[in-house]
């Protein structure tokens, strides 16, 4: 007799997602009915550390974000072997490549509950044959999955506009599957000594107005719009300083004028940091002029840290940030509008306080991580129950 299936396997493309996005959540899952929990991802040097911190076994995969047919095939075979060895009852996967490969491997090995977490749509910024291929990949991923969970209502609506089957897509609560640590972020916001220390590490003067960004430093995140807008803010006489926190995933591909501006003394690029949460204390405003999102955790973190937010009206942001209430919303790619919004926040103290307070209330009410984690766990538990009932019904048929 085969070993009974049990537990949950979480698969991501790279370990950075497990390290930053799912920080502490993996350990939490080990205390729920989804245990035992195992994780698997491409290893960039963090996987062992994450495993030790979360108390969850980890398996390194031959996965990377960039396309590589040889490595991707190897990763698929590794996932098939791992799932045969572990015999999980549930596999949870997110990020595009991990979703496709883990979904196929789980289907091939008969994993009964296969949950796709849809974080965003890479196809939104693709064109031509590449876009058609990505649409086909999304359809295949949903077909391989028993359940698809989108991180936001706007993302689900956008799927429908693109012809993807929304009847197969769920959203839990207000959205998100990870939430944010509101208590910690609030403490960070109130820590004047931490703010001084962080700004000191960046070499800032006391009067500089810091515009912060956290995420992948790449064109899809609106970096070109952001850098040019900050340059315009400075030209208007405001001593603005731009801080970019995150991995370089395409600076060399940015326009020449933007690459030149990034070498200015009013720009600080930290690269990746182990724990970005404390860095928010050094910001005066958080700006995310992205071209596409699902439901960005960085906005939730900024809200929880009582920061005013300026965001684009792309999928995942337009329905998340309420203009004038929890932030300022500007058109995607609009350098002038982004600069004007940043100037408004810099010069209007009452506006800055109002949208910061509104964002903080939204984080507390809808996105505290304990509430989001419990909702996500209940969703996966229901998915399991549905699959068990479905299997029992098939066995009862004459």
């Amino acid at each position: 007799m085969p070993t009974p299936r049990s537990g949950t396997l979480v698969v991501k493309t790279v370990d950075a997602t497990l390290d930053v996005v799912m920080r502490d959540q993996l350990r939490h899952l080990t205390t729920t009915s989804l245990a035992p929990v195992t994780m698997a991802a491409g290893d960039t040097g963090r996987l062992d550390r994450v495993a030790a911190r979360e108390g969850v076994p980890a398996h390194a995969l031959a996965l990377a974000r960039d396309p590589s047919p040889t490595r991707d095939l190897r990763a698929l075979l590794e996932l098939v072997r791992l799932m045969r060895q572990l015999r999980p009852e549930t596999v949870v996967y997110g990020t595009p490549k991990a979703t496709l490969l883990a979904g196929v491997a789980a289907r091939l090995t008969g994993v009964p509950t296969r949950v796709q977490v849809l974080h965003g749509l890479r196809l939104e910024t693709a064109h031509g044959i590449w876009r058609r291929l990505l649409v086909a990949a999304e359809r295949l991923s949903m077909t391989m999955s028993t359940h698809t969970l989108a991180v936001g209502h706007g993302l689900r609506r956008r799927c429908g506009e693109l012809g993807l089957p929304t009847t197969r897509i769920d959203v839990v609560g207000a959205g998100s599957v990870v939430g944010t640590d509101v208590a910690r972020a609030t403490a960070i916001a109130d820590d004047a000594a931490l703010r001084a220390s962080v700004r000191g590490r960046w070499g800032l003067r006391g009067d500089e107005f810091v515009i912060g960004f956290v995420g992948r430093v790449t064109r899809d995140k609106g970096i070109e719009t952001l850098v040019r807008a900050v340059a315009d803010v400075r030209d208007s006489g405001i001593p603005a300083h731009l801080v970019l926190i995150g991995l370089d995933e395409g600076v060399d591909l940015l326009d020449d004028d933007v690459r030149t501006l990034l070498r200015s003394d009013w720009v600080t690029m930290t690269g990746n940091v182990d724990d970005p949460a404390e860095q928010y204390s050094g910001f005066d405003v958080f700006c995310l002029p992205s071209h596409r999102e699902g439901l960005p955790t960085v906005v939730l973190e900024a809200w929880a840290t009582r920061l005013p937010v300026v965001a684009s009206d792309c999928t995942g942001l337009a329905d998340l940030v309420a203009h004038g209430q929890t932030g300022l919303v500007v058109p995607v790619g609009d350098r002038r509008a982004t600069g004007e919004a940043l100037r408004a926040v810099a010069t209007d103290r009452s506006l800055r306080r109002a949208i910061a307070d509104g964002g903080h209330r939204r984080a507390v009410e809808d996105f505290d991580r304990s509430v989001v984690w419990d909702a996500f766990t209940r969703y996966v538990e229901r998915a399991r129950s549905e699959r068990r009932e479905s299997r029992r019904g098939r066995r009862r048929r004459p």
Side-chain angles (χ1 to χ4, degrees), residues 140-297:
L140 178 59
S141 296
M142 291 182 186
T143 300
M144 293 293 103
S145 306
T146 59
H147 296 76
T148 297
L149 178 62
V151 298
H153 294 278
L155 178 57
R156 184 180 186 274
R157 283 195 297 272
R158 184 60 176 148
C159 287
E161 293 166 0
L162 293 168
L164 296 170
T166 56
T167 55
R168 295 176 55 91
I169 303 174
D170 302 310
V171 180
V172 174
S176 185
V177 296
V178 295
T180 189
D181 188 343
V182 173
R184 184 185 183 212
T186 301
I188 287 171
D190 295 336
D191 192 335
L194 176 62
R195 175 178 169 86
S197 173
V198 168
R199 291 169 70 97
R201 289 199 295 271
W202 295 337
L204 304 184
R205 303 189 309 273
D207 63 339
E208 289 181 288
F209 182 77
V210 177
I211 299 165
F213 167 91
V214 179
R216 295 180 295 113
V217 183
T218 183
R219 177 171 282 139
D220 281 358
K221 291 293 184 180
I223 293 298
E224 289 169 329
T225 301
L226 176 58
V227 172
R228 290 167 177 149
V230 176
D232 293 345
V233 171
R234 289 181 56 82
D235 288 344
S236 71
I238 295 172
H241 191 100
L242 175 62
V243 176
L244 302 174
I245 296 174
L247 293 170
D248 173 357
E249 292 196 3
V251 169
D252 290 345
L253 301 177
L254 302 178
D255 289 346
D256 291 344
D257 67 305
V258 173
R259 293 203 309 273
T260 298
L261 289 170
L262 285 172
R263 293 192 289 270
S264 303
D265 60 4
W266 51 266
V267 177
T268 296
M269 298 179 66
T270 69
N272 188 62
V273 297
D274 289 341
D275 182 11
E278 291 188 348
Q279 309 301 309
Y280 287 84
S281 67
F283 300 161
D284 294 301
V285 61
F286 179 81
C287 187
L288 184 62
S290 191
H291 297 176
R292 61 179 175 88
E293 291 290 341
L295 190 148
T297 303

Side-chain angles (χ1 to χ4, degrees), residues 50-65:
V50 176
R53 185 189 71 211
E54 303 289 332
V56 174
H59 296 266
L61 302 171
L63 269 179
R65 282 199 176 100

